[in-house]
Amino acid sequence: MRPAFLAACGLILAFLLTPVLIVICFALNPEPFIAFPPSGISLRWFGKFFASRDFMAAFWLSLGLGLATVVIAGLIGTLAAIALSRGRFPGRAVLVQLFLSPIVLPSILTGFALFQLAMVAGLGRNLGILLAGHLVVATPYVLRTVLAMLAQSDRALEEAARNLGATPARAFREVTLPLIRPGVMAGMLFAFIVSFDQFPVSLFLVSPGQETLPIAMFNYLRFDFDGTIAAASCVSILLAVILVIGIERMIGLQEYTRL
């Protein structure tokens, strides 16, 4: 059984990683088309990507949106998780499912609904609406991971701190927050990745001149197809890998096994 299990895991891993390897080969291939084996190794497409004013503007916009989403979604998701976990009120289970529904719904439906809402409200498409759209799809990831950590944490520790004279704020800061930190960090990591790579919601909510990186890549593909797109994809992949390594260095990925 064990050899069969390992073989199945290896096949699944190969299936997941093969597209990434193809993208990397395309990005490093000096030819303007996919060729295997590559005729050589070149960084020309990375140079073209970083030299493109449109791609760089889109990259920095996506990065800024991702960081803003991390901060706001982390705050909202954590506070909402505490309220839903500790609160005892009618309709609590319904609210949990409602707040987590953007994870289940197709993002394109969420983007279209937000677009219609923005048009009906007369808000138009702007950076604020785009950020709100990213928060809608990213916050549930923080909420879900923090709820998982709160379900496993011992509330008696917080109550003991309160009995020893700690204020509610101090008990939360010194007892509860360290206990749920892995869930908060994991949720914020997911929130950034979801925001940075978000395409369906951004497609409906971006305004001219304020395109995110996925939208810029999509528009580029409409008129051209070369290794620049692969280079942009490699940059996105590398950014996600750096974030995961950073989390590992800070708190260790083994902390997430409890989620």
Side-chain angles (χ1 to χ4, degrees):
M1 289 297 295
R2 182 175 177 81
F5 174 76
L6 293 177
C9 291
L11 290 174
I12 294 173
L13 187 61
F15 175 78
L16 295 175
L17 292 181
T18 297
V20 177
L21 295 177
I22 293 175
V23 169
I24 295 174
C25 290
F26 189 22
L28 296 176
N29 185 16
E31 304 297 333
F33 51 83
I34 298 177
F36 190 84
S39 59
I41 296 178
S42 173
L43 298 178
R44 60 177 294 196
W45 303 120
F46 288 93
K48 185 177 180 180
F49 170 75
F50 287 110
S52 172
R53 182 164 52 183
D54 293 337
F55 273 132
M56 284 296 95
F59 173 80
W60 290 114
L61 177 59
S62 292
L63 186 62
L65 275 173
L67 293 176
T69 300
V70 163
V71 174
I72 301 174
L75 180 62
I76 295 176
T78 301
L79 295 179
I82 293 173
L84 292 171
S85 176
R86 301 293 173 77
R88 294 293 180 267
F89 49 87
R92 171 183 167 275
V94 176
L95 284 177
V96 171
Q97 298 304 318
L98 178 64
F99 292 152
L100 295 178
S101 61
I103 298 179
V104 182
L105 291 175
S107 296
I108 194 168
L109 294 182
T110 303
F112 180 71
L114 291 172
F115 170 75
Q116 292 284 12
L117 178 62
M119 293 299 105
V120 170
L123 300 175
R125 295 186 296 177
N126 52 63
L127 196 58
I129 296 299
L130 181 60
L131 175 60
H134 283 217
L135 289 173
V136 168
V137 296
T139 302
Y141 290 90
V142 182
L143 178 65
R144 184 66 188 90
T145 55
V146 177
L147 281 174
M149 292 304 301
L150 285 170
Q152 298 179 20
S153 63
D154 189 358
R155 192 175 180 180
L157 297 175
E158 184 177 350
E159 294 175 350
R162 294 286 303 277
N163 291 334
L164 292 173
T167 62
R170 185 177 181 183
F172 172 78
R173 185 176 64 253
E174 297 185 5
V175 178
T176 307
L177 188 57
L179 291 174
I180 66 174
R181 186 181 65 166
V184 176
M185 297 297 292
M188 292 172 67
L189 174 63
F190 287 134
F192 179 84
I193 294 175
V194 168
S195 174
F196 190 85
D197 294 330
Q198 185 59 229
F199 176 76
V201 171
S202 299
L203 181 63
F204 285 100
L205 300 181
V206 294
S207 57
Q210 292 184 330
E211 298 175 345
T212 60
L213 184 59
I215 301 301
M217 294 169 63
F218 173 75
N219 291 333
Y220 186 85
L221 283 172
R222 294 170 58 190
F223 305 103
D224 201 353
F225 182 79
D226 56 28
T228 309
I229 293 298
S233 301
C234 286
V235 170
S236 298
I237 295 171
L238 180 61
L239 185 59
V241 172
I242 291 174
L243 285 173
V244 172
I245 293 175
I247 295 295
E248 162 64 19
R249 296 296 184 184
M250 285 190 293
I251 62 176
L253 288 177
Q254 66 272 13
E255 295 288 343
Y256 301 133
T257 58
R258 294 183 296 169
L259 297 181

